[in-house]
């Protein structure tokens, strides 16, 4: 699923996309209401209560991620999604616990740095004695940059990214979430669209291949980025969902979801369709290659390579049917299966099609 971003979005975005192991929302909804929100955040409905029970669960959750993925890997998690972190009045308290348990101060991305400028200055001061790195400001108005420069010193801004979200040319928007909804609405009413969009190669702002957890709603989702679509308009697939209770062993829940909510192998009846934009070809030396965005993956000495590439380009055949066709042309089933699994591991197949054609995975957990 991580490798799929290379074929879908190209090597530049693939190298930059962090595929964080988890993200945790501390509020339900967001107060900002950006027109371009790629995950279509709901209106703000409140923060999670800071209580002994919640903080105990919070620490157990962080310990669970540390146990499952290790400290270094878990440090790449963060605490916002379809939310603005500064909407929680005690956001920094949660980060203190994060730092205590995982040894790292996670990144903050906010569109409200000017609304909470003194508070963010204090956060930057706190970071001087913590293990942290770049913080990010989303600037929603063209006047934000000057206002930020007027308030903060160059030293304070040294490790801050300032993202010009107000300009579609400087910061192109994925046709996902609220942007997608707006495009479809304007098209239905035959109204002009003043910004760039693409309903075929829609893109996504999702950057998590792991868990999306909301502490207000008690929800856990296992997600991975995808191109936004009618089925997944927010630009990420939901592989499994669960509603937790504070009394449950959260590490057990997370491990069960990892074990039971991911389709990680090919099955005989899986229909194989290449991701949009990926081409498959063969050469006279018997090699088979898949390519997209100027990048290619080549498998050498493939039996019936020309016929196999033809079958894969059609997107109409299952694993078993492809093996049967290659056998008919004189190839061995086992060799064909090896090639198909190599391609599957590279993430070139449409996994949404694979998931939708299989029986539902047992994501209602028995704890």
């Amino acid at each position: 699923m991580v490798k799929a971003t290379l074929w879908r979005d190209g090597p530049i975005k693939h190298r930059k996309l962090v595929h964080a192991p988890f993200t945790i929302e501390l509020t339900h909804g967001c107060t900002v209401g950006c027109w371009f929100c790629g995950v279509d955040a709901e209106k703000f409905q409140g923060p999670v209560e800071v209580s002994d029970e919640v903080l105990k669960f919070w620490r157990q959750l962080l310990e669970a991620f540390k146990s499952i993925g290790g400290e270094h890997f878990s440090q790449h998690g963060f605490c916002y999604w379809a939310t603005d972190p500064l909407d929680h009045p005690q956001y920094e308290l949660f980060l203190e616990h994060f730092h205590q348990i995982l040894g790292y101060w996670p990144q903050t991305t906010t569109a409200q740095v000017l609304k909470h400028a003194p508070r963010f200055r204090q956060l930057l001061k706190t970071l001087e004695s913590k293990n942290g790195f770049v913080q990010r400001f989303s600037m929603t108005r063209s006047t934000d940059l000057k206002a930020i420069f007027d308030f903060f010193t160059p030293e304070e801004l040294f490790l801050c990214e300032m993202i010009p979200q107000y300009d579609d040319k400087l910061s192109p928007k994925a046709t996902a979430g609220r942007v997608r909804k707006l495009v479809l609405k304007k098209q239905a009413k035959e109204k002009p669209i003043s910004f760039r969009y693409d309903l075929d190669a829609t893109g996504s702002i999702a950057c998590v291949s792991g868990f999306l957890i909301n502490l207000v709603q008690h929800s856990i989702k296992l997600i991975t980025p995808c191109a936004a679509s009618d089925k997944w308009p927010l630009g990420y697939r939901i592989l499994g969902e669960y509603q937790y209770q504070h009394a449950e062993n959260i590490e057990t829940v997370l491990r069960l979801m990892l074990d039971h909510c991911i389709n990680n192998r090919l099955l005989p009846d899986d229909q194989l369709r290449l991701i949009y934009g990926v081409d498959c070809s063969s050469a006279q030396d018997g090699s088979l290659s898949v390519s997209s965005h100027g990048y290619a993956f080549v498998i050498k000495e493939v039996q019936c390579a020309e016929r196999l590439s033809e079958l894969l380009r059609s997107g109409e055949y299952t694993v078993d049917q492809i093996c049967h066709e290659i056998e008919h042309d004189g190839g061995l089933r086992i060799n064909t299966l090896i090639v198909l699994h190599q391609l599957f591991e590279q993430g070139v197949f449409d996994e949404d099609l694979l998931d939708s054609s299989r029986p539902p995975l047992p994501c209602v957990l028995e704890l």
Side-chain angles (χ1 to χ4, degrees), residues 167-308:
D167 192 318
D168 188 47
K169 294 181 180 179
L170 291 174
S171 183
K173 307 297 185 284
T175 313
R178 204 165 289 158
V179 175
R180 177 181 174 83
K181 186 184 293 185
L182 185 59
V183 167
L184 294 175
K185 183 178 180 180
K186 285 181 174 290
Q187 282 188 340
K189 295 183 178 180
E190 299 183 347
K191 290 186 175 182
I193 301 172
S194 60
F195 51 87
R196 289 186 290 176
Y197 67 94
D198 190 333
L199 285 173
D200 292 319
T202 57
S204 168
I205 69 165
C207 59
V208 170
S209 284
F211 291 97
L212 166 58
I213 300 175
N214 185 285
L215 296 190
V216 180
Q217 298 173 294
H218 288 207
S219 66
I220 304 177
K221 297 175 182 176
L222 192 57
I223 68 171
T224 188
C226 68
S229 63
D230 290 342
K231 184 176 181 180
W232 305 117
L234 305 184
Y236 58 86
R237 291 193 296 133
I238 301 174
L239 309 179
E241 299 183 67
Y242 186 70
Q243 292 294 125
Y244 69 84
Q245 302 296 324
H246 285 147
E248 292 178 291
N249 185 315
I250 193 61
E251 182 174 339
T252 298
V253 171
L254 299 179
R255 288 186 181 277
L256 282 171
M257 291 186 72
L258 289 171
D259 288 341
H260 297 292
C261 298
I262 300 175
N263 283 322
N264 58 5
R265 65 187 186 278
L266 287 177
L267 298 178
D269 291 333
D270 285 340
Q271 181 182 346
L272 300 184
R273 179 186 299 160
L274 296 170
I275 288 176
Y276 175 84
V278 174
D279 187 33
C280 183
S281 61
S282 62
Q284 291 183 350
D285 63 0
S287 62
L288 182 84
S289 66
V290 287
S291 59
S292 180
H293 297 282
Y295 185 88
F297 175 73
V298 180
I299 305 174
K300 297 182 178 180
E301 299 180 1
V302 176
Q303 294 180 346
C304 308
E306 183 177 0
R307 177 58 174 154
L308 182 55

Side-chain angles (χ1 to χ4, degrees), residues 24-313:
I24 302 167
E25 298 174 311
L26 304 176
T27 65
H28 183 185
C30 177
T31 63
V32 183
C34 299
W35 70 267
F36 51 82
C37 182
V39 288
D40 197 13
E42 296 182 51
K43 291 183 178 180
F44 186 69
Q45 297 175 53
V48 65
E49 176 188 359
V50 177
S51 64
D52 291 342
E53 183 182 43
V54 167
L55 292 180
K56 179 182 177 181
F57 176 80
W58 174 243
R59 295 182 68 87
Q60 290 174 343
L61 182 59
L62 297 174
E63 292 282 6
F65 281 120
K66 184 177 180 180
S67 173
I68 293 170
E71 182 177 271
H72 177 72
F73 187 63
S74 299
Q75 288 175 349
H76 293 280
F78 51 92
C79 304
Y80 56 89
W81 188 251
T83 59
D84 190 291
L86 297 187
D87 277 337
H88 198 295
Q90 292 174 276
Y91 169 65
E92 295 83 348
L93 174 63
F94 288 89
L95 300 198
E96 288 282 1
H97 288 275
F98 193 110
H99 187 270
Q100 290 170 14
I101 293 172
L102 298 178
Y104 189 76
W105 191 276
Q107 183 189 73
T108 294
T109 297
T110 179
Q112 301 189 90
V113 67
L114 294 173
K115 180 179 178 181
H116 299 280
R119 178 183 174 187
F120 207 87
R121 168 171 280 164
Q122 182 57 49
L123 187 150
L124 293 174
K125 183 68 176 176
T126 301
L127 271 168
E128 293 177 6
S129 61
K130 306 292 184 183
N131 179 22
F133 193 49
V134 172
Q135 311 301 305
R136 303 196 305 175
F137 305 155
S138 291
M139 300 181 296
T140 58
R141 298 181 298 269
S142 59
T143 56
D144 285 352
L145 182 62
K146 182 179 185 304
I148 289 170
F149 283 167
D150 287 344
F151 186 87
F152 295 98
T153 67
E155 291 78 11
E156 288 173 322
L157 296 176
F158 180 65
L159 287 177
C160 293
E161 290 182 357
M162 286 159 282
I163 306 169
Q165 298 285 19
Y166 53 83
D167 192 318
D168 188 47
K169 294 181 180 179
L170 291 174
S171 183
K173 307 297 185 284
T175 313
R178 204 165 289 158
V179 175
R180 177 181 174 83
K181 186 184 293 185
L182 185 59
V183 167
L184 294 175
K185 183 178 180 180
K186 285 181 174 290
Q187 282 188 340
K189 295 183 178 180
E190 299 183 347
K191 290 186 175 182
I193 301 172
S194 60
F195 51 87
R196 289 186 290 176
Y197 67 94
D198 190 333
L199 285 173
D200 292 319
T202 57
S204 168
I205 69 165
C207 59
V208 170
S209 284
F211 291 97
L212 166 58
I213 300 175
N214 185 285
L215 296 190
V216 180
Q217 298 173 294
H218 288 207
S219 66
I220 304 177
K221 297 175 182 176
L222 192 57
I223 68 171
T224 188
C226 68
S229 63
D230 290 342
K231 184 176 181 180
W232 305 117
L234 305 184
Y236 58 86
R237 291 193 296 133
I238 301 174
L239 309 179
E241 299 183 67
Y242 186 70
Q243 292 294 125
Y244 69 84
Q245 302 296 324
H246 285 147
E248 292 178 291
N249 185 315
I250 193 61
E251 182 174 339
T252 298
V253 171
L254 299 179
R255 288 186 181 277
L256 282 171
M257 291 186 72
L258 289 171
D259 288 341
H260 297 292
C261 298
I262 300 175
N263 283 322
N264 58 5
R265 65 187 186 278
L266 287 177
L267 298 178
D269 291 333
D270 285 340
Q271 181 182 346
L272 300 184
R273 179 186 299 160
L274 296 170
I275 288 176
Y276 175 84
V278 174
D279 187 33
C280 183
S281 61
S282 62
Q284 291 183 350
D285 63 0
S287 62
L288 182 84
S289 66
V290 287
S291 59
S292 180
H293 297 282
Y295 185 88
F297 175 73
V298 180
I299 305 174
K300 297 182 178 180
E301 299 180 1
V302 176
Q303 294 180 346
C304 308
E306 183 177 0
R307 177 58 174 154
L308 182 55
S309 66
E310 177 186 327
L311 295 170
L312 291 174
R313 284 197 303 271

